[in-house]
Amino acid sequence: MEIVSLKRIEMLDKLKDIQKKFIDVEKSLSDPAQISNPQRLQELSKMHAEFSPIVSAYKDYQQLETAIEETQTLLAEESDADMLELAQEEVDDLEKQKDELTETLKMLLIPKDPNDEKNVIIEIRAGTGGEEASLFAAEIFRMYTRYAERKNWKVEMLSANATGLKGFKEVIFSIEGKSAYSLLKYEGGIHRVQRIPTTETSGRIHTSAVTVAVLPEAEEIDLQIDEATELRIDTYRSSGPGGQSVNTTDSAIRITHLPTGIIVTQQDEKSQHKNRSKAMKILRARLQERKQAELNKERAETRRSMVGSGDRSEKIRTYNFPQSRVTDHRIQFSVHQLETILDGELAPFIEKLTTADQDEMLKNEGN
C-alpha cells in the first residue's frame, strides 16, 4: 500500500475517534448530573469547543466523499458525451475541494499547545550595549503594550528596574487576553537593535540587544507548591536608586524556591501583600517555564520545531534603524516599516511565524 494511502487511513482513524469522543461529550453535557460538578462541566465544555471545528470539517469531508462517489457512479453509467463532460468537471471540482479540506483537517489535527489560551508574563532585560540596550528595552516594552492595546488586552506591570534616561535594565509585566500566549510565544529570544545612539558624537552605528522571555501564566491548579517546605520568604525595606530606603515598612518581598534555587524579589508596591502576590505570580511562571523547557529538551531528541522553542539565547530579530528594516532570522522575513512595528503592528510577523511553526509540525507529524 502506498505511504500516502497509509497516512490518509491514519488521519481518518483519528477523525473517527474524535467524532466518537465528541458524541460522548455532547451526551455528558446534556446529563443533568454534570451540573452539580462544575469542574467536570468545565472540562467537558473545553473538550466540546476543541472537538467542534474538527468534527464539523470532518462532516464536510464525508459529504464530499459521498458526492464524489455518486458522481463517479453517474460517470460509469452515462453515455452522453455532454453529460460525461459535465460530470467529469464536477468530479474534478469536488476532488479539489476534498484536497483543500484534507489540508485543513491536517492543520486541525496538529496537537494543540496546552498553554495557548493562557495569559502571559513577559520579562525584558537589557543585554549588551549599556544604556542604549536599556533604552531599547523600553521601546520593546512599549511595542508589546501597544500590541496589547490593539487586541484590547489588559497589561499589568509586575516589576521594573528603570534607568535615569527612561530606559529599563529589567521590566516584567503580564498580559491578560484571549489566546495571548498563542500569539506572543514566538517573541522569546534575543532582539537586536542597530542604530546611532543619541550619545554617539562620531555617527557610528552601534549594536545592542535585549533578551525577551515569554512565559505562560501558571495557575495554582497547574503547579502545586508546598509553601511551608519549598519556599523561604524574606521581607525587607524597599530601596530606590543608590540604595536609599523608599518605604518605612518592610514591604519588599524576596521569595526563594528551595528545590530549584529560583529567587524572585518584588518591591514595587507599598503593600507587602501585593508584592507577595506579584512575586508568586512570577515564580509560578518561571517554574512552569522550567518544567516546559525540560519537556522540550526530551522532545528535541526526536523532533525540533523551527520557531517554537522560545530559547532566550537565540537571536531571533534585528531592528535596523538606518534602513528602517526589521528582520526575523528564524523565517528570513523582513519588512521596511520599523516605526510601525515598534508601534505594535506585530501581526505580519506573528502570522508568518505561526504558519512556519505549523508547517514544521506537519512535517514532523508526517515523519
Side-chain angles (χ1 to χ4, degrees):
M1 185 180 289
E2 293 182 4
I3 294 175
V4 174
S5 298
L6 281 170
K7 287 179 181 176
R8 180 173 173 273
I9 290 170
E10 288 172 4
M11 184 186 80
L12 292 175
D13 285 343
K14 283 184 183 178
L15 289 167
K16 288 173 185 174
D17 185 48
I18 289 171
Q19 189 176 48
K20 183 179 180 299
K21 288 178 181 176
F22 182 74
I23 292 169
D24 292 340
V25 167
E26 285 200 319
K27 285 180 181 177
S28 296
L29 281 170
S30 61
D31 182 357
Q34 298 299 336
I35 298 173
S36 60
N37 189 343
Q39 186 175 347
R40 177 58 178 161
L41 193 62
Q42 187 178 6
E43 289 173 2
L44 289 168
S45 298
K46 188 176 179 180
M47 289 170 67
H48 188 275
E50 183 182 333
F51 291 152
S52 188
I54 301 174
V55 172
S56 178
Y58 181 42
K59 284 180 181 177
D60 291 342
Y61 181 90
Q62 290 172 310
Q63 289 172 2
L64 277 172
E65 282 202 317
T66 301
I68 290 169
E69 288 174 9
E70 290 173 351
T71 310
Q72 285 176 334
T73 300
L74 180 63
L75 268 172
E77 296 173 353
E78 187 60 61
S79 57
D80 181 79
D82 290 337
M83 289 298 293
L84 282 169
E85 185 179 353
L86 285 171
Q88 187 58 55
E89 286 178 2
E90 186 175 350
V91 168
D92 292 342
D93 181 57
L94 291 169
E95 288 285 1
K96 183 182 177 183
Q97 291 180 51
K98 181 182 169 183
D99 290 342
E100 291 172 353
L101 193 53
T102 298
E103 292 305 309
T104 300
L105 284 165
K106 285 179 183 177
M107 297 297 291
L108 289 170
L109 287 173
I110 292 175
K112 299 289 188 296
D113 186 332
N115 295 318
D116 273 352
E117 297 303 313
K118 292 186 176 180
N119 301 324
V120 297
I121 290 177
I122 298 181
E123 302 181 352
I124 302 173
R125 292 182 179 84
T128 55
E131 188 62 46
E132 173 64 10
S134 298
L135 290 170
F136 185 54
E139 289 173 272
I140 292 296
F141 167 67
R142 181 182 180 276
M143 178 178 75
Y144 291 131
T145 55
R146 290 286 290 130
Y147 178 71
E149 286 173 16
R150 292 170 187 267
K151 304 291 290 184
N152 293 316
W153 290 344
K154 178 185 174 183
V155 177
E156 180 187 9
M157 181 72 82
L158 297 178
S159 176
N161 185 354
T163 67
L165 296 177
K166 297 183 179 179
F168 286 117
K169 289 182 180 179
E170 177 188 84
V171 56
I172 304 173
F173 57 103
S174 65
I175 295 180
E176 180 182 329
K178 182 176 173 56
S179 304
Y181 183 75
S182 70
L183 294 173
L184 290 170
K185 62 184 175 182
Y186 304 116
E187 294 299 305
I190 295 173
H191 294 242
R192 188 176 65 168
V193 60
Q194 296 174 327
R195 64 182 171 190
I196 302 170
T198 53
T199 55
E200 174 60 54
T201 55
S202 63
R204 288 187 304 116
I205 295 174
H206 286 228
T207 298
S208 304
V210 303
T211 301
V212 175
V214 181
L215 319 178
E217 187 175 313
E219 300 172 9
E220 289 189 29
I221 194 170
D222 299 324
L223 204 64
Q224 298 298 319
I225 299 174
D226 186 342
E227 296 190 13
T229 61
E230 295 183 24
L231 301 183
R232 185 176 72 238
I233 301 176
D234 302 307
T235 60
Y236 58 98
R237 291 187 182 182
S238 58
S239 59
Q244 72 212 47
S245 175
V246 295
N247 272 342
T248 56
T249 59
D250 294 341
S251 61
I253 290 285
R254 181 189 299 109
I255 299 178
T256 304
H257 185 250
L258 299 174
T260 62
I262 294 174
I263 300 172
V264 179
T265 59
Q266 179 59 247
Q267 63 173 24
D268 289 9
E269 301 286 346
K270 291 182 180 180
S271 161
Q272 186 183 111
H273 176 73
K274 288 182 179 179
N275 280 330
R276 190 180 190 282
S277 177
K278 285 186 175 183
M280 284 300 296
K281 182 183 284 192
I282 295 169
L283 176 63
R284 287 186 186 280
R286 289 182 183 172
L287 287 172
Q288 184 74 7
E289 181 201 29
R290 186 188 182 101
K291 183 179 176 182
Q292 189 64 44
E294 290 172 357
L295 182 61
N296 289 344
K297 188 177 179 181
E298 291 174 12
R299 289 175 176 171
E301 295 176 4
T302 54
R303 65 177 62 176
R304 178 173 175 82
S305 176
M306 180 168 58
V307 299
S309 65
D311 188 346
R312 298 189 196 191
S313 64
E314 179 186 8
K315 182 184 74 177
I316 65 166
R317 199 173 293 154
T318 296
Y319 304 74
N320 185 298
F321 274 70
Q323 298 176 21
S324 188
R325 184 186 71 236
V326 183
T327 300
D328 195 289
H329 304 290
R330 295 163 295 181
I331 52 175
Q332 301 303 311
F333 175 66
S334 296
V335 297
H336 290 269
Q337 297 173 318
L338 185 145
E339 294 298 332
T340 304
I341 298 299
L342 286 176
D343 194 44
E345 186 48 72
L346 288 170
F349 284 100
I350 289 171
E351 289 168 8
K352 293 270 186 186
L353 288 161
T354 301
T355 300
D357 199 29
Q358 288 174 341
D359 289 346
E360 188 71 11
M361 283 191 282
L362 274 175
K363 288 177 188 174
N364 288 327
E365 286 294 310
N367 292 334

